[in-house]
Structure formats: structure tokens, C-alpha cells
Amino acid sequence: MTERSGESALARSFKALSDPTRLRLLSLVAAHEGGEATVVDLTEPLDLTQPTVSHHLKILVEAGLLTREKRSVWSYYALVPGALGTLGRYLQDADAAWAPSKTRTRRR
Amino acid sequence: MTERSGESALARSFKALSDPTRLRLLSLVAAHEGGEATVVDLTEPLDLTQPTVSHHLKILVEAGLLTREKRSVWSYYALVPGALGTLGRYLQDADAAWAPSKTRTRRR
């Protein structure tokens, strides 16, 4: 059961990364002054409307990839430190663990 | 433009990984004898129908994560060596490159 719920959490993170706009959003947030950005900072470089950008930001927050902090009237988004690295390590570990062994026999 | 199309290919790979069943499928294929499996080998452990498993396998092949090799009447699926590792490295590189710098000033 733990393995299954781990896979669900992983799948949700990968789902958040499964859209080119959201990959761009992560890099734009990271590159913004102070490593944080508001929705207004992100609409122009993406040429998208505020509701669309807000929708994508929400998915990234729910997947644990961005934090959202409200200060005065604005919400500031920032990367969750290490979140992408954790996902990256999972894939690299899987790649190493799942690599075909040369000693295995191949069915014909 | 190259960056954008790179993001699309990445997004497609992450989309293939965005389903717990497909993550399970990759590990089942890898763990199967010879590092390869047919759709029939995979239906029972997943408790899914053959068309459903075939659908998921197709998505994994199209995303470049599995190979499909037809021999006699069966198609054998195997991991594309290094494909998960490449995705993992992208995320780890992004994590390192996008980590907030301690010297940056934080807006208040």
C-alpha cells in the first residue's frame, strides 16, 4: 500500500510537469528577482491570461513543486527547494535499478 | 524554438509518467525475465484488461520510455536504456540551477 501511494504522489508530480507551460513557469519563477514571482510577473513572458497562469500555478502548488505565500494583496510563488531534485533522484535510481542485466537470458 | 520543442518532448515524457499504472508497468517490465515482457505477462499483476494495458504500453513507447519488438506473434516490451536517467538528470540539473541564491534580496 505504501508503494502504491508513493506511486500516486510521484504520478501527481509528473502530471504537474507534463505541460510545457508549467515547465516554463517553474523556470520563470526561479529566474525572477528573489526567486519568487506573482501571477502578474508571469502573464507577460508567457503571453497568457491571468486566470490561465493562476490555474497552472495552482497545479504546481498542489503537486508540491511551488510554495505560495500571501503578502499584502499579492501571492508570491517560489520553488520548493529540492522538490525537483527528489523526483530526479527517483528516476535516476529507477534507471540504475531497472537497467537490463547482461547476465539475463533473452527469450526468443 | 529549440528550447520550446525540448520542453514539449520533456512534457510528453512526464505525461507518460503521470499515471501510477504506467509507473508500475515500467517496473514490471524491468523485473520480468530478460528485462522484457508481453502484454499477457502484464495483465495479471496489474489486474487490468489487455486493451487497457496495451493502451498504457503504447503511451510509454510513444514517449520513448519503452521499446516494442515484434517476434513471431508477440510484441515484447523493454525499457529504453538510459531514458529515465536522462529525465532524472534534467530535473536534478534544474534543481541545482534554479535553487534560490542566498545573496538574492527578498522582496517584502
Side-chain angles (χ1 to χ4, degrees):
Chain A
M1 288 305 288
T2 309
E3 195 188 327
R4 293 294 175 91
S5 55
E7 276 167 358
S8 297
L10 277 168
R12 188 165 68 163
S13 299
F14 291 129
K15 195 169 185 70
L17 298 174
S18 72
D19 182 299
T21 299
R22 291 198 288 273
L23 291 175
R24 287 266 297 155
L25 260 178
L26 291 175
S27 82
L28 287 169
V29 167
H32 204 263
E33 186 193 344
E36 57 180 9
T38 67
V39 66
V40 173
D41 299 322
L42 301 163
T43 50
E44 204 195 0
L46 288 170
D47 196 21
L48 292 173
T49 65
Q50 210 162 304
T52 301
V53 174
S54 291
H55 166 75
H56 286 304
L57 288 168
K58 185 165 182 274
I59 291 170
L60 290 165
V61 169
E62 285 172 356
L65 299 173
L66 286 182
T67 57
R68 177 179 177 279
E69 188 190 334
K70 203 161 185 216
R71 295 204 298 276
S72 69
V73 292
W74 296 106
S75 288
Y76 290 83
Y77 296 87
L79 291 200
V80 172
L84 293 175
T86 301
L87 288 175
R89 259 191 309 283
Y90 167 82
L91 292 177
Q92 293 208 294
D93 290 350
D95 192 57
W98 297 350
S101 161
K102 289 189 179 83
T103 57
R104 280 182 188 164
T105 51
R106 205 171 150 84
R107 281 193 301 188
R108 285 285 159 193
Chain B
M1 287 305 287
T2 310
E3 196 187 326
R4 292 295 174 88
S5 56
E7 277 165 359
S8 298
L10 277 168
R12 189 164 69 163
S13 299
F14 291 130
K15 194 170 184 71
L17 297 173
S18 72
D19 182 299
T21 299
R22 290 197 289 272
L23 291 175
R24 288 267 295 155
L25 260 179
L26 291 176
S27 83
L28 287 168
V29 166
H32 204 264
E33 186 194 343
E36 57 179 11
T38 68
V39 66
V40 172
D41 299 322
L42 302 163
T43 51
E44 204 196 359
L46 288 170
D47 196 21
L48 292 173
T49 65
Q50 209 162 306
T52 301
V53 174
S54 291
H55 165 76
H56 286 303
L57 288 169
K58 186 165 181 275
I59 290 170
L60 289 166
V61 170
E62 286 172 355
L65 298 173
L66 286 183
T67 57
R68 176 179 177 279
E69 188 190 335
K70 203 162 183 211
R71 294 205 299 275
S72 70
V73 294
W74 295 106
S75 287
Y76 290 83
Y77 296 87
L79 291 201
V80 172
L84 292 175
T86 300
L87 287 175
R89 259 191 310 283
Y90 167 81
L91 292 176
Q92 293 207 294
D93 290 350
D95 193 59
W98 298 349
S101 160
K102 288 189 178 82
T103 57
R104 281 183 186 165
T105 52
R106 204 172 152 84
R107 282 191 301 187
R108 285 286 161 196

